[in-house]
Amino acid sequence: MRKTSMYVALVLLAAVSVVPFLWMLATSFKHGQDIYSKVPNLLPLDRKTGEWAATLDNYGYVLDVGGLGSAFVNSVWVCAILVPAKLLVDALAAYAFARIPFPGRDKLFVILLGGMMVPAITLLVPRIHVTQSLGMFDSGWGLIVPNVASVLDIFLLRQFFLSIPAELEEAALIDGAGRMQIFWRIVLPLSKPVLAVVTITSFLFHWNDLVWPLLVTNDPELYTLPLALQQLVASPDGGRAYYIMAGATLAVLPVIAVLLVFQRRILQGIAFTGLKA
């Protein structure tokens, strides 16, 4: 009885999560006159005849007129450059904090952790000022460079690196390996679970990020997908439900694909991060 209740509860929770997505997907294929009806219908059916009446015109509009086609490409190349660069920088910093003794290492790490307590919204003004000073405002580099490091990711990677037996590195040092050789050939291959988690979470965050692109880009040619979707919602013609749902579907499908493909890696990384303080 207890198991049955638990399964029923899980099914209900899954339905709460899945039904809105299915409604969004179905609406994206509907004609305007078929959306509003006395009896809500999940399928894209003609309101009068009840026959199948799905259309791809909504996707054609948002990709061409709505500008989501170029925005989709922009989001892809921003994530393709930013996520690997961020992973490399964070992994190098985490390895230094975990294994390389240098003066003030622990104090500096505490200061970095203290910075996580500062609300991110309060750092936007100085970040924009620095971006402008470096000549990266309203450019592709302005979308990438200011986001190339994350204290949270450094913390997660450091905690995992500390769980790797130090004897492996000591043996490599005795054999004449340098720090970078140890980092590339020993530490990183043993850290695949946490590296996968950091990579996936970084991709999800930057793929869905609206605030930073909104602040540092004025050129519509540089708009990323969330920003282009926001502009679509605000436009007179694009603010119709079927256009919005088509744009939202385009934005969410890559995220769902990544989660489905790498869900095992995510669970492994969550299980392994923080094994040793």
Side-chain angles (χ1 to χ4, degrees):
M1 184 65 183
R2 187 175 180 181
K3 277 189 175 182
T4 303
S5 301
M6 183 177 64
Y7 289 147
V8 170
L10 290 175
V11 170
L12 291 176
L13 290 174
V16 170
S17 301
V18 173
V19 169
F21 171 75
L22 294 178
W23 191 274
M24 174 187 70
L25 184 63
T27 304
S28 69
F29 291 104
K30 290 183 178 181
H31 295 277
Q33 67 272 15
D34 298 330
I35 293 179
Y36 305 103
S37 59
K38 294 181 180 179
V39 180
N41 198 334
L42 184 63
L43 298 176
L45 302 177
D46 187 278
R47 186 177 61 178
K48 296 180 179 179
T49 64
E51 298 178 355
W52 184 265
T55 178
L56 294 176
D57 293 344
N58 302 331
Y59 288 93
Y61 178 90
V62 298
L63 287 172
D64 187 15
V65 181
L68 265 71
S70 61
F72 190 94
V73 175
N74 290 340
S75 290
V76 169
W77 70 257
V78 166
C79 290
I81 298 175
L82 175 57
V83 173
K86 184 178 181 182
L87 182 64
L88 177 61
V89 171
D90 292 344
L92 288 170
Y95 181 68
F97 282 118
R99 294 301 194 202
I100 301 177
F102 57 87
R105 181 188 69 176
D106 295 337
K107 293 181 179 179
L108 179 58
F109 186 68
V110 171
I111 292 173
L112 285 177
L113 293 181
M116 295 175 60
M117 301 179 186
V118 180
I121 196 71
T122 62
L123 301 176
L124 289 178
V125 173
R127 287 182 68 192
I128 293 174
H129 177 71
V130 172
T131 303
Q132 290 177 325
S133 301
L134 295 176
M136 295 185 296
F137 188 82
D138 201 20
S139 69
W141 292 115
L143 295 170
I144 296 173
V145 175
N147 295 310
V148 83
S150 168
V151 177
L152 177 60
D153 292 344
I154 292 173
F155 171 74
L156 292 176
L157 290 166
R158 173 186 176 271
Q159 296 304 102
F160 191 92
F161 292 163
L162 287 174
S163 70
I164 298 175
E167 291 79 6
L168 295 175
E169 299 178 49
E170 293 171 0
L173 287 171
I174 293 174
D175 291 339
R179 283 291 183 185
M180 290 305 297
Q181 289 178 308
I182 293 174
F183 175 75
W184 287 107
R185 298 182 180 181
I186 297 178
V187 175
L188 290 187
L190 293 174
S191 305
K192 290 180 180 179
V194 69
L195 292 175
V197 169
V198 171
T199 300
I200 294 167
T201 54
S202 296
F203 168 76
L204 297 179
F205 176 80
H206 294 293
W207 182 267
N208 295 317
D209 188 18
L210 170 64
V211 176
W212 186 246
L214 178 64
L215 294 175
V216 299
T217 57
N218 293 323
D219 186 359
E221 296 295 325
L222 294 173
Y223 284 178
T224 55
L225 198 54
L227 183 53
L229 185 58
Q230 188 271 338
Q231 296 296 319
L232 175 69
V233 173
S235 65
D237 294 329
R240 299 173 182 175
Y242 41 94
Y243 291 149
I244 297 173
M245 294 304 177
T249 301
L250 289 174
V252 78
L253 284 179
V255 175
I256 294 176
V258 168
L259 291 176
L260 290 177
V261 173
F262 297 104
Q263 59 179 333
R264 181 174 297 180
R265 287 290 186 183
I266 295 175
L267 295 176
Q268 288 177 349
I270 293 173
F272 283 117
T273 49
L275 283 179
K276 183 176 179 181

